[in-house]
Amino acid sequence: MSVTFISGRTKDSVHLVYKDHRFSRDRTRNDTIYWRCMLSRKTPMNPIICKARISTDKDGNIISLGQSHNHPPNKLEIQIRTCISDIKRLGELQEKDKMDVSETNYYRN
């Protein structure tokens, strides 16, 4: 099964999605990126601490899977966040197109 990437809450953050579970980047060492489950920290909204981990290479290929999740996947959240990520990407493309057009001078004599 392949992984997908969606944008996080901040401009430069990226989340990995695998089997309808979302992971945040934990650290990078050499050419390996280590990801942890988004529910890996206890909060008022999240009473569960999940120890699921994934490591990938820089191309997003899975190198290893850590422990299993101790909670069910949240498919609705993944769908919503994927839509938000797609909208952000579309906005970034439109901004880039605006800059490309504004940098080009078309004058007819």
Side-chain angles (χ1 to χ4, degrees):
M1 180 166 259
S2 65
V3 299
T4 56
F5 296 94
I6 59 175
S7 60
R9 290 182 184 232
T10 61
K11 184 177 180 180
D12 296 329
S13 68
V14 175
H15 294 167
L16 178 145
V17 177
Y18 179 71
K19 292 187 177 180
D20 293 324
H21 287 280
R22 195 163 50 108
F23 294 81
S24 64
R25 185 186 309 237
D26 188 24
R27 67 184 183 278
T28 301
R29 200 175 279 160
N30 298 327
D31 290 337
T32 303
I33 303 170
Y34 297 89
W35 305 84
R36 65 177 178 206
C37 177
M38 291 297 294
L39 301 181
S40 64
R41 293 187 179 164
K42 194 172 187 176
T43 65
M45 295 290 292
N46 174 42
I48 300 170
I49 296 176
C50 181
K51 296 189 183 236
R53 304 278 191 270
I54 289 181
S55 59
T56 64
D57 62 18
K58 289 187 177 184
D59 296 324
N61 300 309
I62 294 176
I63 296 172
S64 67
L65 298 171
Q67 294 183 20
S68 298
H69 292 275
N70 59 357
H71 58 91
N74 190 337
K75 291 183 181 186
L76 180 59
E77 180 191 17
I78 297 300
Q79 290 172 342
I80 290 169
R81 293 203 177 267
T82 300
C83 287
I84 291 169
S85 183
D86 291 345
I87 290 168
K88 284 181 180 179
R89 269 192 229 124
L90 181 60
E92 289 168 2
L93 289 174
Q94 287 177 342
E95 281 298 314
K96 184 179 180 299
D97 286 347
K98 284 180 188 176
M99 288 189 317
D100 290 346
V101 170
S102 66
E103 292 172 3
T104 307
N105 294 319
Y106 291 103
Y107 294 105
R108 290 188 178 183
N109 292 337

